[in-house]
Amino acid sequence: MEKQVHRVGKRKESIARVYVRPRSGDTGAIRINGRSFEDYFPRPTARMLIMQPLELTQTVDRFDIDVNVIGGGISGQAGAVKHGIARTLLNVDATFRPVLKKAGHLTRDAREVERKKYGLSGARRRYQYSKR
């Protein structure tokens, strides 16, 4: 891989544009919206989720990864970044496909927030029943 590879990942309302290029320093750097990986995602579970496709393919320090992510919350953004990284790794090396597919990283998580229905206080929550 001599040049930059670009793919998009999605989760809930979040969209992540992921750019992967060969590392320039000693170790691969992950930058999200111009900030460091640890600074943007302080929660360890979000960082673990993002690192899963890299750890699965043993490419943790092989690439510099730049991500632009918009929309949603922290959890949705972390899922979108994970999806985008997995799809870019597939562009880098097609032999990663069986491993990433088996782990479920290539499939977009299609779960969305259920909409609120009329006559209810939430998606399923009803107003309190009053006998008198």
Side-chain angles (χ1 to χ4, degrees):
M1 181 176 117
E2 291 113 32
K3 59 182 174 112
Q4 178 172 283
V5 179
H6 165 255
R7 293 295 285 187
V8 173
K10 296 180 179 181
R11 168 80 170 103
K12 292 187 179 179
E13 291 293 313
S14 301
I15 299 171
R17 294 182 312 232
V18 180
Y19 301 89
V20 172
R21 70 181 76 77
R23 73 169 182 232
S24 57
D26 293 337
T27 60
I30 302 175
R31 305 215 23 99
I32 300 171
N33 290 351
R35 293 160 57 187
S36 72
F37 171 61
E38 291 80 12
D39 184 37
Y40 195 84
F41 289 110
R43 195 181 305 160
T45 52
R47 289 199 298 253
M48 180 198 68
L49 185 74
I50 292 168
M51 294 302 287
Q52 282 176 347
L54 295 169
E55 290 167 352
L56 209 59
T57 55
Q58 285 109 31
T59 56
V60 174
D61 287 330
R62 274 182 47 193
F63 304 109
D64 284 339
I65 301 172
D66 280 326
V67 181
N68 293 329
V69 64
I70 57 168
I74 297 295
S75 175
Q77 287 186 352
V81 171
K82 178 194 84 158
H83 186 229
I85 288 174
R87 291 180 70 186
T88 4
L89 288 175
L90 193 62
N91 269 18
V92 170
D93 191 357
T95 59
F96 292 151
R97 184 170 180 80
V99 178
L100 292 170
K101 185 77 173 168
K102 187 169 192 282
H105 297 311
L106 297 178
T107 307
R108 183 202 189 279
D109 192 350
R111 293 177 294 169
E112 295 284 337
V113 176
E114 190 174 350
R115 76 169 191 87
K116 182 188 178 304
K117 280 81 170 183
Y118 60 87
L120 300 179
S121 63
R124 298 180 184 212
R125 171 91 167 96
R126 292 189 147 87
Y127 292 110
Q128 187 171 353
Y129 171 73
S130 172
K131 193 168 184 177
R132 288 177 191 85

